[in-house]
Amino acid sequence: MDMHTFCRKLPKIELHAHLNGSLSKSTMLHLKRYFADSGFEDKSNIFFDEFQIGAGDSRNLSDCFQVFSIAHSLTSTPEALEMATQMTLEEFNDDGCCYVELRSTPRDTPYMTKHQYIDTIVKSMQKINARLSIISRFVVSVNRSHHVSEAEAITNLAIEYNKKYPDIVVGLELSGEPTIGRFEDFVPSFVRAKECGLKISLHCGEICNSEEVISMLNFKPDRIGHGTCIHPSHGGTEDTWATLCKIKTPVEICLTSNVNTKSTPKYASHHFKEFYNAEIPVLICTDDKGVFETSLSQEYGICAETFDLDRTKLARLALNACQHIFAEDNVKRKLMTQILNFIDHHC
Ligand code: IMP
Ligand code: ZN
């Protein structure tokens, strides 16, 4: 079996995927057709070249946040959102993922409320979990560029839906344009969510802001996203690095996302290396597979090639990721058995 096939067949765990950034070209075309056939406003001026951010794209990290409005215009009705969720989960399933936590920011649109937004994703996931072998869970997103009152409303919904559907809604996460908003303003919402039993993930250190990194790590989230500017050689400080090394918060690593947004100059200089060597739990993820035209198997392949990991080491990354999923322990055990079985046969 060649490395490409190995990476596809390896049962993988996706823990950092934004729904609207994960829409593939074929899903977007499908949604465009749905809007055209249903008599909604014309979506024909949607350009994929603008949505996708490849290697060497001239846009900076802030510019990258503009592209999500393209996807948002295609997920504005409950029907479209259901199609988007199901097609995206099917693609993760086809790529050999055995477990996916999809995250998304509930929004009010002209055709649905935030309430309906969450409800639609929950129902779509239930259908996928009944139909396919992939196991999916929902992590509700708070956008740091929105007002605190919006974060509070979304937190309330996350808590309500976690009570109603504990086997689907498992966490709350903070994302959005990192130069806007302050983590400290959102702390009361995240404290409340934590107290209600929701797991927490925070986009952390996407830009140099050591004070915020320290307060995020001290909050003791279950996981952080990216962690780009934490190590001193990547824009962090001795203090941010020492704190992470001490508490060993698991880090969702998104190689292509970081390279294509130029947060990291090239794969070879990605902070994965320092984190891996320091035995900080590293979780290989896609972030926005549609925007960055990637897949989880491709990210595993890039990781193996760049950091010279053999098949056993690569498979161990997937196995170790099971420890940090937000779903219940019986799911953890099931996934570990599945991956261990694969390792027994193919490594
Ligand atoms: P949605 O939450 O399903 O609408 O997915 C798109 C949203 O995810 C964007 O509007 C951002 O708020 C967030 N997002 C996607 N990628 C990133 C990232 O790399 N950093 C921070 N936020 C992100
Ligand atoms: Zn992200």
Side-chain angles (χ1 to χ4, degrees), residues 18 20 65 68 72 104-105 143 175-176 203 206 226 287-288:
H18 301 267
N20 281 283
F65 285 90
F68 297 109
H72 287 163
S104 195
T105 324
N143 188 326
S175 52
H203 277 64
E206 274 187 279
H226 299 298
D287 205 10
D288 299 291

Side-chain angles (χ1 to χ4, degrees), residues 1-10 311 342 346-347:
M1 198 192 300
D2 62 20
M3 196 57 169
H4 177 80
T5 313
F6 179 85
C7 289
R8 271 196 75 107
K9 294 221 155 140
L10 170 68
R311 290 171 189 215
F342 179 89
H346 301 285
C347 291

